[in-house]
mmCIF file of all heavy atoms in Angstrom:
data_model
loop_
_atom_site.group_PDB
_atom_site.id
_atom_site.type_symbol
_atom_site.label_atom_id
_atom_site.label_comp_id
_atom_site.label_asym_id
_atom_site.label_seq_id
_atom_site.Cartn_x
_atom_site.Cartn_y
_atom_site.Cartn_z
ATOM 1 N N TYR A 16 123.754 -32.686 101.907
ATOM 2 C CA TYR A 16 124.950 -33.479 101.597
ATOM 3 C C TYR A 16 125.898 -33.347 102.777
ATOM 4 O O TYR A 16 126.302 -32.239 103.135
ATOM 5 C CB TYR A 16 125.617 -32.967 100.319
ATOM 6 C CG TYR A 16 126.895 -33.690 99.953
ATOM 7 C CD1 TYR A 16 126.870 -34.786 99.102
ATOM 8 C CD2 TYR A 16 128.126 -33.264 100.459
ATOM 9 C CE1 TYR A 16 128.046 -35.454 98.764
ATOM 10 C CE2 TYR A 16 129.297 -33.925 100.127
ATOM 11 C CZ TYR A 16 129.248 -35.012 99.279
ATOM 12 O OH TYR A 16 130.410 -35.665 98.958
ATOM 13 N N LEU A 17 126.241 -34.457 103.401
ATOM 14 C CA LEU A 17 127.164 -34.484 104.535
ATOM 15 C C LEU A 17 128.326 -35.381 104.146
ATOM 16 O O LEU A 17 128.214 -36.611 104.120
ATOM 17 C CB LEU A 17 126.447 -35.001 105.781
ATOM 18 C CG LEU A 17 127.227 -35.007 107.090
ATOM 19 C CD1 LEU A 17 127.783 -33.626 107.417
ATOM 20 C CD2 LEU A 17 126.335 -35.480 108.232
ATOM 21 N N SER A 18 129.461 -34.759 103.828
ATOM 22 C CA SER A 18 130.545 -35.443 103.138
ATOM 23 C C SER A 18 131.020 -36.726 103.813
ATOM 24 O O SER A 18 131.271 -37.730 103.147
ATOM 25 C CB SER A 18 131.733 -34.495 102.979
ATOM 26 O OG SER A 18 132.306 -34.182 104.251
ATOM 27 N N CYS A 19 131.170 -36.701 105.141
ATOM 28 C CA CYS A 19 131.784 -37.850 105.812
ATOM 29 C C CYS A 19 131.010 -39.137 105.548
ATOM 30 O O CYS A 19 131.610 -40.205 105.326
ATOM 31 C CB CYS A 19 131.902 -37.580 107.311
ATOM 32 S SG CYS A 19 130.376 -37.084 108.113
ATOM 33 N N PHE A 20 129.684 -39.069 105.548
ATOM 34 C CA PHE A 20 128.883 -40.264 105.318
ATOM 35 C C PHE A 20 128.625 -40.512 103.831
ATOM 36 O O PHE A 20 128.644 -41.655 103.368
ATOM 37 C CB PHE A 20 127.556 -40.166 106.064
ATOM 38 C CG PHE A 20 127.705 -40.142 107.565
ATOM 39 C CD1 PHE A 20 126.911 -39.327 108.340
ATOM 40 C CD2 PHE A 20 128.668 -40.919 108.199
ATOM 41 C CE1 PHE A 20 127.049 -39.292 109.725
ATOM 42 C CE2 PHE A 20 128.823 -40.895 109.577
ATOM 43 C CZ PHE A 20 128.009 -40.075 110.344
ATOM 44 N N GLU A 21 128.392 -39.442 103.085
ATOM 45 C CA GLU A 21 128.087 -39.614 101.652
ATOM 46 C C GLU A 21 129.239 -40.320 100.930
ATOM 47 O O GLU A 21 129.015 -41.212 100.106
ATOM 48 C CB GLU A 21 127.831 -38.260 100.973
ATOM 49 C CG GLU A 21 126.910 -37.308 101.705
ATOM 50 C CD GLU A 21 125.468 -37.765 101.800
ATOM 51 O OE1 GLU A 21 125.134 -38.868 101.331
ATOM 52 O OE2 GLU A 21 124.663 -37.006 102.359
ATOM 53 N N MET A 22 130.474 -39.926 101.250
ATOM 54 C CA MET A 22 131.611 -40.501 100.539
ATOM 55 C C MET A 22 131.809 -41.974 100.892
ATOM 56 O O MET A 22 132.194 -42.777 100.035
ATOM 57 C CB MET A 22 132.882 -39.715 100.857
ATOM 58 C CG MET A 22 132.892 -38.299 100.301
ATOM 59 S SD MET A 22 132.595 -38.224 98.515
ATOM 60 C CE MET A 22 134.044 -39.062 97.899
ATOM 61 N N LYS A 23 131.519 -42.350 102.127
ATOM 62 C CA LYS A 23 131.696 -43.753 102.502
ATOM 63 C C LYS A 23 130.581 -44.629 101.944
ATOM 64 O O LYS A 23 130.798 -45.799 101.612
ATOM 65 C CB LYS A 23 131.794 -43.889 104.023
ATOM 66 C CG LYS A 23 133.078 -43.318 104.572
ATOM 67 C CD LYS A 23 134.284 -43.872 103.813
ATOM 68 C CE LYS A 23 135.538 -43.059 104.010
ATOM 69 N NZ LYS A 23 136.597 -43.445 103.059
ATOM 70 N N ILE A 24 129.385 -44.076 101.833
ATOM 71 C CA ILE A 24 128.307 -44.810 101.161
ATOM 72 C C ILE A 24 128.661 -44.980 99.682
ATOM 73 O O ILE A 24 128.485 -46.060 99.101
ATOM 74 C CB ILE A 24 126.962 -44.075 101.333
ATOM 75 C CG1 ILE A 24 126.547 -44.107 102.815
ATOM 76 C CG2 ILE A 24 125.879 -44.708 100.466
ATOM 77 C CD1 ILE A 24 125.371 -43.214 103.151
ATOM 78 N N LEU A 25 129.200 -43.925 99.089
ATOM 79 C CA LEU A 25 129.644 -44.004 97.696
ATOM 80 C C LEU A 25 130.732 -45.048 97.530
ATOM 81 O O LEU A 25 130.758 -45.774 96.522
ATOM 82 C CB LEU A 25 130.158 -42.636 97.239
ATOM 83 C CG LEU A 25 130.732 -42.566 95.826
ATOM 84 C CD1 LEU A 25 129.644 -42.834 94.792
ATOM 85 C CD2 LEU A 25 131.375 -41.199 95.573
ATOM 86 N N SER A 26 131.623 -45.151 98.496
ATOM 87 C CA SER A 26 132.722 -46.123 98.386
ATOM 88 C C SER A 26 132.189 -47.551 98.318
ATOM 89 O O SER A 26 132.793 -48.421 97.680
ATOM 90 C CB SER A 26 133.697 -45.968 99.558
ATOM 91 O OG SER A 26 133.148 -46.471 100.767
ATOM 92 N N HIS A 27 131.067 -47.815 98.972
ATOM 93 C CA HIS A 27 130.447 -49.144 98.894
ATOM 94 C C HIS A 27 129.872 -49.371 97.499
ATOM 95 O O HIS A 27 130.028 -50.457 96.916
ATOM 96 C CB HIS A 27 129.330 -49.263 99.932
ATOM 97 C CG HIS A 27 128.472 -50.475 99.765
ATOM 98 N ND1 HIS A 27 128.930 -51.751 100.041
ATOM 99 C CD2 HIS A 27 127.197 -50.615 99.316
ATOM 100 C CE1 HIS A 27 127.962 -52.622 99.783
ATOM 101 N NE2 HIS A 27 126.905 -51.956 99.340
ATOM 102 N N LEU A 28 129.236 -48.357 96.965
ATOM 103 C CA LEU A 28 128.605 -48.489 95.646
ATOM 104 C C LEU A 28 129.636 -48.556 94.525
ATOM 105 O O LEU A 28 129.436 -49.258 93.535
ATOM 106 C CB LEU A 28 127.651 -47.312 95.410
ATOM 107 C CG LEU A 28 126.484 -47.184 96.405
ATOM 108 C CD1 LEU A 28 125.703 -45.908 96.148
ATOM 109 C CD2 LEU A 28 125.568 -48.392 96.317
ATOM 110 N N ARG A 29 130.761 -47.840 94.697
ATOM 111 C CA ARG A 29 131.775 -47.797 93.645
ATOM 112 C C ARG A 29 132.787 -48.933 93.751
ATOM 113 O O ARG A 29 133.439 -49.271 92.772
ATOM 114 C CB ARG A 29 132.525 -46.460 93.714
ATOM 115 C CG ARG A 29 131.668 -45.245 93.409
ATOM 116 C CD ARG A 29 131.390 -45.105 91.953
ATOM 117 N NE ARG A 29 132.589 -44.736 91.209
ATOM 118 C CZ ARG A 29 132.692 -44.785 89.884
ATOM 119 N NH1 ARG A 29 131.674 -45.215 89.167
ATOM 120 N NH2 ARG A 29 133.808 -44.430 89.278
ATOM 121 N N ASP A 30 132.966 -49.481 94.938
ATOM 122 C CA ASP A 30 133.906 -50.563 95.198
ATOM 123 C C ASP A 30 135.303 -50.179 94.699
ATOM 124 O O ASP A 30 135.807 -49.132 95.066
ATOM 125 C CB ASP A 30 133.406 -51.859 94.565
ATOM 126 C CG ASP A 30 134.150 -53.086 95.095
ATOM 127 O OD1 ASP A 30 134.517 -53.081 96.285
ATOM 128 O OD2 ASP A 30 134.379 -54.024 94.327
ATOM 129 N N GLU A 31 135.930 -50.990 93.864
ATOM 130 C CA GLU A 31 137.310 -50.728 93.440
ATOM 131 C C GLU A 31 137.451 -49.413 92.688
ATOM 132 O O GLU A 31 138.517 -48.792 92.710
ATOM 133 C CB GLU A 31 137.820 -51.879 92.567
ATOM 134 C CG GLU A 31 138.008 -53.186 93.325
ATOM 135 C CD GLU A 31 138.587 -54.274 92.438
ATOM 136 O OE1 GLU A 31 138.936 -53.960 91.283
ATOM 137 O OE2 GLU A 31 138.708 -55.413 92.904
ATOM 138 N N LYS A 32 136.397 -48.976 92.028
ATOM 139 C CA LYS A 32 136.475 -47.739 91.253
ATOM 140 C C LYS A 32 136.540 -46.510 92.154
ATOM 141 O O LYS A 32 136.908 -45.424 91.699
ATOM 142 C CB LYS A 32 135.282 -47.640 90.306
ATOM 143 C CG LYS A 32 135.309 -48.676 89.196
ATOM 144 C CD LYS A 32 134.157 -48.489 88.230
ATOM 145 C CE LYS A 32 134.218 -49.517 87.105
ATOM 146 N NZ LYS A 32 133.095 -49.352 86.154
ATOM 147 N N TYR A 33 136.172 -46.662 93.415
ATOM 148 C CA TYR A 33 136.219 -45.530 94.345
ATOM 149 C C TYR A 33 137.648 -45.008 94.467
ATOM 150 O O TYR A 33 137.890 -43.807 94.338
ATOM 151 C CB TYR A 33 135.695 -45.956 95.717
ATOM 152 C CG TYR A 33 135.822 -44.898 96.787
ATOM 153 C CD1 TYR A 33 134.975 -43.795 96.803
ATOM 154 C CD2 TYR A 33 136.794 -44.995 97.787
ATOM 155 C CE1 TYR A 33 135.084 -42.820 97.778
ATOM 156 C CE2 TYR A 33 136.911 -44.021 98.772
ATOM 157 C CZ TYR A 33 136.052 -42.939 98.760
ATOM 158 O OH TYR A 33 136.172 -41.973 99.736
ATOM 159 N N CYS A 34 138.591 -45.892 94.704
ATOM 160 C CA CYS A 34 139.988 -45.472 94.836
ATOM 161 C C CYS A 34 140.546 -44.945 93.519
ATOM 162 O O CYS A 34 141.403 -44.063 93.503
ATOM 163 C CB CYS A 34 140.848 -46.619 95.357
ATOM 164 S SG CYS A 34 140.641 -46.920 97.131
ATOM 165 N N GLU A 35 140.061 -45.489 92.419
ATOM 166 C CA GLU A 35 140.524 -45.024 91.112
ATOM 167 C C GLU A 35 140.167 -43.560 90.888
ATOM 168 O O GLU A 35 140.884 -42.819 90.230
ATOM 169 C CB GLU A 35 139.900 -45.872 89.998
ATOM 170 C CG GLU A 35 140.415 -47.296 89.937
ATOM 171 C CD GLU A 35 139.693 -48.120 88.884
ATOM 172 O OE1 GLU A 35 138.938 -47.528 88.085
ATOM 173 O OE2 GLU A 35 139.863 -49.356 88.862
ATOM 174 N N ASP A 36 139.016 -43.150 91.445
ATOM 175 C CA ASP A 36 138.542 -41.781 91.237
ATOM 176 C C ASP A 36 139.093 -40.794 92.261
ATOM 177 O O ASP A 36 138.937 -39.588 92.114
ATOM 178 C CB ASP A 36 137.010 -41.741 91.301
ATOM 179 C CG ASP A 36 136.367 -42.490 90.144
ATOM 180 O OD1 ASP A 36 137.046 -42.661 89.118
ATOM 181 O OD2 ASP A 36 135.206 -42.901 90.272
ATOM 182 N N ARG A 37 139.707 -41.298 93.335
ATOM 183 C CA ARG A 37 140.194 -40.430 94.387
ATOM 184 C C ARG A 37 141.563 -39.836 94.035
ATOM 185 O O ARG A 37 142.400 -40.492 93.430
ATOM 186 C CB ARG A 37 140.324 -41.220 95.700
ATOM 187 C CG ARG A 37 139.008 -41.733 96.250
ATOM 188 C CD ARG A 37 138.136 -40.636 96.770
ATOM 189 N NE ARG A 37 138.733 -39.995 97.932
ATOM 190 C CZ ARG A 37 138.310 -38.840 98.426
ATOM 191 N NH1 ARG A 37 137.329 -38.200 97.850
ATOM 192 N NH2 ARG A 37 138.881 -38.335 99.499
ATOM 193 N N CYS A 38 141.749 -38.609 94.401
ATOM 194 C CA CYS A 38 143.043 -37.916 94.353
ATOM 195 C C CYS A 38 143.598 -37.779 92.931
ATOM 196 O O CYS A 38 143.528 -36.705 92.360
ATOM 197 C CB CYS A 38 144.055 -38.612 95.260
ATOM 198 S SG CYS A 38 145.562 -37.632 95.534
ATOM 199 N N GLN A 39 144.132 -38.852 92.344
ATOM 200 C CA GLN A 39 144.784 -38.777 91.036
ATOM 201 C C GLN A 39 145.750 -37.590 91.001
ATOM 202 O O GLN A 39 145.615 -36.658 90.213
ATOM 203 C CB GLN A 39 143.751 -38.683 89.920
ATOM 204 C CG GLN A 39 142.857 -39.899 89.839
ATOM 205 C CD GLN A 39 142.070 -39.985 88.557
ATOM 206 O OE1 GLN A 39 142.352 -39.277 87.582
ATOM 207 N NE2 GLN A 39 141.086 -40.852 88.527
ATOM 208 N N LEU A 40 146.709 -37.652 91.866
ATOM 209 C CA LEU A 40 147.625 -36.554 92.142
ATOM 210 C C LEU A 40 148.244 -35.971 90.876
ATOM 211 O O LEU A 40 148.905 -36.662 90.113
ATOM 212 C CB LEU A 40 148.724 -37.055 93.085
ATOM 213 C CG LEU A 40 149.525 -36.021 93.852
ATOM 214 C CD1 LEU A 40 148.614 -35.210 94.757
ATOM 215 C CD2 LEU A 40 150.605 -36.706 94.670
ATOM 216 N N GLY A 41 147.997 -34.700 90.649
ATOM 217 C CA GLY A 41 148.588 -33.996 89.524
ATOM 218 C C GLY A 41 147.919 -34.241 88.194
ATOM 219 O O GLY A 41 148.348 -33.684 87.180
ATOM 220 N N ARG A 42 146.870 -35.052 88.167
ATOM 221 C CA ARG A 42 146.236 -35.368 86.882
ATOM 222 C C ARG A 42 144.984 -34.529 86.632
ATOM 223 O O ARG A 42 144.825 -33.946 85.566
ATOM 224 C CB ARG A 42 145.896 -36.854 86.809
ATOM 225 C CG ARG A 42 147.121 -37.726 86.477
ATOM 226 C CD ARG A 42 146.778 -39.194 86.495
ATOM 227 N NE ARG A 42 146.899 -39.757 87.839
ATOM 228 C CZ ARG A 42 146.681 -41.035 88.116
ATOM 229 N NH1 ARG A 42 146.317 -41.862 87.159
ATOM 230 N NH2 ARG A 42 146.833 -41.482 89.348
ATOM 231 N N LYS A 43 144.108 -34.466 87.611
ATOM 232 C CA LYS A 43 142.859 -33.735 87.410
ATOM 233 C C LYS A 43 142.927 -32.298 87.922
ATOM 234 O O LYS A 43 142.248 -31.425 87.414
ATOM 235 C CB LYS A 43 141.697 -34.460 88.107
ATOM 236 C CG LYS A 43 141.248 -35.729 87.398
ATOM 237 C CD LYS A 43 139.976 -36.259 88.026
ATOM 238 C CE LYS A 43 139.441 -37.461 87.249
ATOM 239 N NZ LYS A 43 138.179 -37.967 87.837
ATOM 240 N N GLN A 44 143.714 -32.087 88.957
ATOM 241 C CA GLN A 44 143.776 -30.767 89.569
ATOM 242 C C GLN A 44 145.223 -30.396 89.849
ATOM 243 O O GLN A 44 145.985 -31.204 90.382
ATOM 244 C CB GLN A 44 142.965 -30.755 90.865
ATOM 245 C CG GLN A 44 142.818 -29.372 91.473
ATOM 246 C CD GLN A 44 141.652 -29.304 92.436
ATOM 247 O OE1 GLN A 44 140.555 -29.734 92.133
ATOM 248 N NE2 GLN A 44 141.895 -28.748 93.615
ATOM 249 N N ILE A 45 145.580 -29.168 89.501
ATOM 250 C CA ILE A 45 146.952 -28.691 89.666
ATOM 251 C C ILE A 45 146.927 -27.372 90.417
ATOM 252 O O ILE A 45 146.064 -26.524 90.187
ATOM 253 C CB ILE A 45 147.631 -28.515 88.293
ATOM 254 C CG1 ILE A 45 147.791 -29.876 87.596
ATOM 255 C CG2 ILE A 45 148.987 -27.830 88.431
ATOM 256 C CD1 ILE A 45 148.327 -29.786 86.192
ATOM 257 N N SER A 46 147.871 -27.203 91.338
ATOM 258 C CA SER A 46 147.982 -25.956 92.085
ATOM 259 C C SER A 46 148.989 -25.022 91.420
ATOM 260 O O SER A 46 150.064 -25.454 90.991
ATOM 261 C CB SER A 46 148.424 -26.240 93.524
ATOM 262 O OG SER A 46 147.341 -26.704 94.302
#
């Protein structure tokens, strides 16, 4: 698994849902 390429290939497959799943600041992960 090589993140830089895997994530961009995933972004093509996920299309608009890719951004929906990214970050989600303060919702999925909290410090």
